[in-house]
Amino acid sequence: MSDDDQSQSCPFCRIVRGEVPAKIAFESDHSVAFHDVNPQAPTHVLVIPRRHVANVAELAAAAPVELADAFSSAAAVAAQQGLERGYRIVANTGPQAHQTVYHAHIHVLGGRSMAWPPG
Ligand code: 5GP
Ligand code: ZN
């Protein structure tokens, strides 16, 4: 499948294009942040690049400035959501790590105490 075909059918590209509704938390030139539809913490926001790539490693290789923008957007989300006591950033990569959407994204989780090690 070409990149264009993947982007046509990708659920997160659809959110970027405004074709599917999402509760947007923050936007920058390169990133969009929106609340996860199935939250795992009181605050659970996904930060995604506008560009369609499969995971954060591909984003780092293709566009490091956009990767940095995703992390600074995550910090902006954390500040906006009042997570000064701490938050967790997660980037599930590949099937064994339970990645289910193959458009790069980082989870910003906060508002409760986090266990370590993660499950
Ligand atoms: P992954 O398992 O790939 O790391 O995370 C994908 C996340 O995307 C999951 O937490 C899932 O709940 C969320 N998600 C999947 N589809 C949608 C959607 O259409 N809208 C929103 N807001 N979240 C979604
Ligand atoms: Zn996509």
Side-chain angles (χ1 to χ4, degrees), residues 12 15 34-38 46 92 98-101 105 107:
F12 287 179
I15 288 173
F34 53 93
H35 293 267
D36 197 293
V37 75
N38 183 22
L46 301 173
N92 298 325
H98 208 276
Q99 184 175 3
T100 58
V101 177
H105 53 282
H107 298 256

Side-chain angles (χ1 to χ4, degrees), residues 5-112:
D5 289 344
Q6 278 174 19
S7 147
Q8 278 307 313
S9 59
C10 169
F12 287 179
C13 284
R14 287 190 163 142
I15 288 173
V16 170
R17 290 195 295 265
E19 294 168 8
V20 168
K23 194 174 163 200
I24 304 289
F26 183 82
E27 291 191 76
S28 72
D29 284 352
H30 297 303
S31 307
V32 178
F34 53 93
H35 293 267
D36 197 293
V37 75
N38 183 22
Q40 301 302 314
T43 295
H44 186 174
V45 171
L46 301 173
V47 182
I48 71 170
R50 295 180 186 275
R51 170 195 298 264
H52 179 91
V53 287
N55 57 49
V56 291
E58 285 193 14
L59 186 62
V65 167
E66 294 175 30
L67 180 75
D69 186 85
F71 276 85
S72 54
S73 296
V77 167
Q80 171 211 78
Q81 297 287 319
L83 302 182
E84 48 282 310
R85 295 182 68 202
Y87 59 96
R88 181 167 291 172
I89 284 175
V90 174
N92 298 325
T93 304
Q96 196 164 33
H98 208 276
Q99 184 175 3
T100 58
V101 177
Y102 282 78
H103 178 128
H105 53 282
I106 54 181
H107 298 256
V108 179
L109 297 145
R112 65 167 169 81

